Amino acid sequence: MWHFACHGDFDTQAPNNSPLILQDRYFLRPNDLVGRAQTRLRTDRPLVFLNACRVGQGGLALTGLGGWAATLVGHCRVGALIAPLWSVHDGAARHFAEAFYTACQQPGMTLGEAVRQARVATRDAFPDDTTWLAYSLYAHPNARLVIGRE
């Protein structure tokens, strides 16, 4: 599992290479995931949770995905990707992540149902905030997160 809780921004000049903004203003972009990193992701097939504003967006295309989704799901073939399409507020974003991971610990819980439960919990906790709607799941909805050995 890879979880990023950081800043993100949609780069209008390079929409399919929009950065995650990490500590010390280090930028991680989709195009950085090549070679050994890409091979490792293909082998491990982790769930990747990008809890950063607007990193679920990609450039306009007639077919296919763009941005982080195209790189992580299409090229790196991760098991699942969760990322928001628009700006999210810190408190609500943290609540969504905690509710998602809590739901995933329930026996037989699918990723699709865990996202749904996290949305409901976040909406109930932050009724005036649209963060609960921002997250997209790129995975088979019946996929399950396996933590350790089952």
Side-chain angles (χ1 to χ4, degrees):
M1 177 172 23
W2 287 20
H3 184 101
F4 291 83
C6 56
H7 294 287
D9 198 10
F10 185 71
D11 185 345
T12 58
Q13 300 302 310
N16 290 322
N17 203 29
S18 295
L20 291 172
I21 305 167
L22 306 175
Q23 186 175 351
D24 298 326
R25 304 262 327 139
Y26 176 78
F27 284 45
L28 179 63
R29 295 177 179 273
N31 289 351
D32 295 333
L33 295 179
V34 296
R36 290 174 53 197
Q38 188 178 55
T39 300
R40 186 63 188 221
L41 287 166
R42 280 186 180 188
T43 302
D44 292 348
R45 303 221 35 189
L47 174 134
V48 178
F49 194 136
L50 302 180
N51 209 355
C53 293
R54 303 172 64 186
V55 294
Q57 293 183 27
L60 296 176
L62 292 175
T63 61
L65 298 170
W68 284 102
T71 297
L72 290 169
V73 176
H75 303 300
C76 296
R77 296 192 181 114
V78 300
L81 169 65
I82 298 173
L85 295 173
W86 57 80
S87 294
V88 293
H89 296 99
D90 288 348
R94 179 181 174 157
H95 192 275
F96 181 92
E98 289 174 349
F100 170 75
Y101 290 126
T102 297
C104 282
Q105 294 176 30
Q106 297 174 30
M109 179 61 63
T110 65
L111 294 180
E113 179 60 20
V115 166
R116 189 193 72 74
Q117 287 186 20
R119 283 185 177 143
V120 169
T122 305
R123 181 196 63 206
D124 291 349
F126 298 86
D128 297 326
D129 187 338
T130 61
T131 294
W132 68 278
L133 283 171
Y135 292 91
S136 289
L137 170 64
Y138 300 89
H140 190 289
N142 290 326
R144 290 179 171 80
L145 178 62
V146 177
I147 300 172
R149 301 265 184 227
E150 285 193 355

